[in-house]
Amino acid sequence: GAVVSQHPSRVICKSGTSVKIECRSLDFQATTMFWYRQFPKKSLMLMATSNEGSKATYEQGVEKDKFLINHASLTLSTLTVTSAHPEDSSFYICSARDDRETGNTIYFGEGSWLTVV
Amino acid sequence: GDSVTQMEGPVTLSEEAFLTINCTYTATGYPSLFWYVQYPGEGLQLLLKATKADDKGSNKGFEATYRKETTSFHLEKGSVQVSDSAVYFCALSRRAGGTSYGKLTFGQGTILTVHP
């Protein structure tokens, strides 16, 4: 089946630094990808919709300047957490929609644990 | 806006017991419905899905039927195993083929623990 890979799976960074998380569709093209955030023992919250070649669409309450999304190719979207703070520590997970199919599964990455110290 | 409501957990069962996790939704039009499972420390895996009314999704002994009249998509399994212990999420997406397809609205998740 189709695979979406996220990297890194775990990252620890210092407060004030930036960290980039990659989301790749390995065997299909994805014009559209989605970024979610999950707090411990909570549900997933959609942060933004990533569109190849155009600006991401952010959900209400998500800071665009803090969570930079770049979808530079049909197989790669990146989420950069800028000037990270401990409250940004969370599980970030992406999903991708296969361009070849109109009604098929949305494929999720394995997720990335971010810890800001 | 769209929303998904799941029964609150946690749910604790003995092995071979019958499982039901209720899920109801609010959405305009004809959304696609999903159940995802998340094992400890891992990402989400699709368990099953249904894209139109009366469709039944099934996988690994789990089933759910898309009931438009009751706006429900309850998850069931006849005999659970210890390995089914995980968090289960009900989710919906706007209709397949639409530009919003894939933008998922999740329920709050239900923790299932199965004891031997």
Side-chain angles (χ1 to χ4, degrees):
Chain A
V3 177
V4 173
S5 177
Q6 270 184 250
H7 178 80
S9 57
R10 293 182 181 272
V11 58
I12 300 173
C13 71
K14 291 185 177 180
S15 209
T17 63
S18 297
V19 61
K20 181 185 288 186
I21 301 170
E22 295 184 345
C23 178
R24 290 182 185 275
S25 55
L26 297 185
D27 53 359
F28 64 95
Q29 293 184 333
T31 303
T32 303
M33 294 185 178
F34 304 90
W35 286 96
Y36 296 84
R37 180 175 180 176
Q38 185 179 28
F39 293 97
K41 298 184 179 180
K42 297 289 185 182
S43 189
L44 288 85
M45 178 191 77
L46 178 67
M47 299 175 66
T49 301
S50 173
N51 302 296
E52 187 271 337
S54 63
K55 291 183 179 180
T57 304
Y58 289 81
E59 295 300 303
Q60 191 172 6
V62 178
E63 298 177 61
K64 303 177 184 180
D65 295 332
K66 180 151 188 73
F67 299 100
L68 300 179
I69 291 173
N70 186 359
H71 195 150
S73 79
L74 288 172
T75 59
L76 175 64
S77 175
T78 60
L79 168 68
T80 301
V81 183
T82 63
S83 186
H85 290 285
E87 57 265 30
D88 298 325
S89 299
S90 191
F91 186 61
Y92 294 88
I93 191 165
C94 70
S95 68
R97 188 174 76 195
D98 191 332
D99 283 350
R100 297 169 299 181
E101 299 157 340
T102 58
N104 213 340
T105 308
I106 306 304
Y107 302 100
F108 277 84
E110 314 95 320
S112 300
W113 288 99
L114 170 63
T115 303
V116 184
V117 298
Chain B
D2 298 343
S3 67
V4 176
T5 303
Q6 288 178 236
M7 66 183 286
E8 290 195 20
V11 174
T12 303
L13 296 173
S14 297
E15 205 164 27
E16 299 184 2
F18 184 85
L19 168 71
T20 299
I21 301 178
N22 289 338
C23 171
T24 57
Y25 67 90
T26 302
T28 54
Y30 300 90
S32 294
L33 302 174
F34 306 84
W35 277 100
Y36 282 89
V37 59
Q38 185 178 35
Y39 297 100
E42 298 184 10
L44 271 69
Q45 298 177 26
L46 177 69
L47 183 58
L48 52 84
K49 66 171 182 174
T51 57
K52 61 183 187 295
D54 299 326
D55 266 3
K56 177 186 282 188
S58 61
N59 185 28
K60 299 180 181 179
F62 291 89
E63 292 183 342
T65 301
Y66 190 145
R67 301 287 188 199
K68 188 160 179 63
E69 64 276 13
T70 54
T71 63
S72 65
F73 193 54
H74 304 322
L75 181 68
E76 296 182 337
K77 185 174 186 181
S79 176
V80 293
Q81 305 300 313
V82 173
S83 57
D84 293 327
S85 298
V87 182
Y88 291 82
F89 291 96
C90 184
L92 69 79
S93 175
R94 291 298 178 93
R95 67 173 181 82
T99 56
S100 295
Y101 184 72
K103 183 177 173 181
L104 292 169
T105 299
F106 284 89
Q108 62 268 45
T110 302
I111 298 172
L112 170 66
T113 303
V114 180
H115 292 297

